[in-house]
Amino acid sequence: MVNSGICAGDAMGSINGLVSPPGKRPLFSFGVISDVQYADIPDGHSFLGVPRYYRHSIHVLQRAVQKWNNHQNLNFVINFGDIVDGKCPPGQSLDAVKKVNNEFQKINGPVYHLIGNHCLYNLPRDKLLPLLKIQGLNGLAYYDFSPSPEYRIVVLDGYDISAIGWPQGHSKTLQALEFLEKKNPNSDKNSPSGLLGLDRRFVMFNGAVGKEQLEWLDGTLQDATKLKQKVIVCCHLPLDVVASSQEALLWNYDEVMNVIHQYNCVKACLSGHDHKGGYSVDSHGVHHRSFEAALECPPDTDAYGHIDVYDDRLLLFGTDRIQSTEMCFNP
């Protein structure tokens, strides 16, 4: 299967079901994987009954690393979060994170990590961020970088306001708990039971982008616009309901998208968290792609890929469970 936008001026002929622009080389290419959620425990199921392969997921990552290294033209890799699972036995968390991170370190090139809820179930931010070499200020995990003059990658911290990861009495923890108390009447704040429609996102395994980060995003997009850069936004939590289940969305995805939609520079928002994967194009022409989870790959199947970036499109070449996707936009 190939999810596709419509690209003008395409020639016949395709690679892996995707049309490559004739005579053009990508500006840059990068590997993608999400929700490895490794744990040294027997296979299990999600709360919806979807099988989860905790020990196999690290083999998916190992095959991905081998494929990426063999590619030779990849500039970097982005891991979209949740490298270890919340069911990892207490006392094994640090070793599990190190084990998975060691696999990422075998990649020939830089690796950029996003933090997810399962990462934070296992390690607090002050231990996790240095391990993953995330250089955020004050324990925050948002940042940006430019892999080519034409593009900027913006990484959001979807657990900026969160009941997990921060110390118990931290202002961000208290803010998140107060928010959940208002929005979710269940005693188990991880349960969306009784919540309707988009309110089903108000659960403890999600989080929000805080005020300072929203201001930083606005300033970063202003700067990218001045420099005539196109922007790819990355967040563990999805930002569009068509590309994701309601239960997986960022609490304040609407506020984030209101900032993004003020500018024409953002071409795509990429995410993990919603394990089944999804794709949409919103009312402003921004592409949204949430990636299928490595955790849910039965033995000998995979979920990873790489993206070739051009001035007018992103081509996601998926492996097995990750659907290849063509995302076209005005150059």
Side-chain angles (χ1 to χ4, degrees):
M1 283 285 290
V2 177
N3 287 317
S4 178
I6 298 169
C7 292
D10 286 330
M12 294 298 288
S14 68
I15 307 166
N16 292 5
L18 293 183
V19 177
S20 261
K24 277 191 179 180
R25 289 177 63 91
L27 297 169
F28 60 94
S29 303
F30 62 98
V32 294
I33 194 168
S34 192
D35 299 271
V36 173
Q37 287 180 227
Y38 166 76
D40 187 12
I41 57 174
D43 296 342
H45 295 83
S46 71
F47 68 95
L48 295 173
V50 179
R52 294 184 160 184
Y53 304 92
Y54 298 105
R55 290 186 176 122
H56 176 251
S57 65
I58 199 166
H59 299 299
V60 177
L61 174 59
Q62 287 165 342
R63 289 192 291 269
V65 170
Q66 190 174 16
K67 185 87 172 277
W68 292 328
N69 286 343
N70 288 341
H71 185 282
Q72 294 183 333
N73 289 318
L74 290 190
N75 300 78
F76 55 92
V77 166
I78 299 181
N79 160 42
F80 280 81
D82 282 357
I83 63 174
V84 287
D85 195 83
K87 290 186 177 175
C88 181
Q92 292 183 24
S93 292
L94 185 58
D95 286 342
V97 171
K98 284 181 176 176
K99 183 174 179 177
V100 181
N101 195 36
N102 284 343
E103 298 300 327
F104 276 109
Q105 288 177 354
K106 294 174 185 175
I107 292 166
N108 298 332
V111 182
Y112 297 95
H113 290 280
L114 281 65
I115 56 168
N117 52 310
H118 283 267
C119 308
L120 296 170
Y121 297 148
N122 278 276
L123 293 178
R125 283 171 173 264
D126 59 354
K127 283 202 172 69
L128 184 69
L129 270 58
L131 261 176
L132 300 179
K133 296 181 177 161
I134 298 174
Q135 303 291 327
L137 296 172
N138 301 320
L140 289 159
Y142 59 85
Y143 55 94
D144 68 302
F145 63 99
S146 289
S148 78
E150 302 92 342
Y151 270 87
R152 190 179 300 206
I153 310 279
V154 170
V155 173
L156 298 180
D157 181 349
Y159 292 90
D160 180 357
I161 307 299
S162 169
I164 48 176
W166 296 105
Q168 199 172 358
H170 197 285
S171 60
K172 289 176 182 287
T173 311
L174 299 175
Q175 192 180 338
L177 290 171
E178 186 183 343
F179 178 82
L180 282 170
E181 201 57 46
K182 284 181 190 165
K183 298 287 188 180
N184 187 332
N186 296 313
S187 56
D188 176 7
K189 299 301 181 193
N190 270 321
S191 171
S193 180
L195 298 176
L196 299 175
L198 288 168
D199 283 357
R200 292 179 69 80
R201 74 188 189 274
F202 298 131
V203 285
M204 196 181 279
F205 57 74
N206 295 333
V209 164
K211 183 173 178 286
E212 296 85 357
Q213 188 178 173
L214 280 172
E215 290 168 357
W216 170 84
L217 174 63
D218 187 60
T220 303
L221 298 184
Q222 273 185 43
D223 192 50
T225 302
K226 282 181 199 156
L227 295 171
K228 296 186 166 56
Q229 290 176 321
K230 298 175 183 71
V231 175
I232 300 167
V233 172
C234 302
C235 184
H236 179 68
L237 292 152
L239 302 172
D240 184 76
V241 69
V242 183
S244 164
S245 62
Q246 294 162 331
E247 292 86 353
L249 289 166
L250 186 81
W251 288 343
N252 63 336
Y253 78 93
D254 46 349
E255 286 185 287
V256 172
M257 290 312 302
N258 283 343
V259 173
I260 286 171
H261 287 156
Q262 287 174 35
Y263 301 90
N264 294 319
C265 56
V266 177
K267 302 305 177 186
C269 296
L270 308 178
S271 62
H273 195 51
D274 188 49
H275 290 187
K276 69 182 185 304
Y279 171 65
S280 66
V281 184
D282 70 24
S283 58
H284 287 66
V286 177
H287 295 261
H288 296 261
R289 183 69 169 87
S290 58
F291 297 118
E292 296 79 356
L295 172 68
E296 292 180 3
C297 292
D300 300 319
T301 64
D302 289 312
Y304 60 85
H306 77 270
I307 295 178
D308 286 349
V309 178
Y310 296 87
D311 61 345
D312 65 347
R313 74 196 76 191
L314 308 181
L315 299 183
L316 165 62
F317 295 93
T319 304
D320 280 3
R321 291 188 67 252
I322 289 207
Q323 289 193 4
S324 294
T325 309
E326 183 175 51
M327 297 169 257
C328 302
F329 42 80
N330 293 325

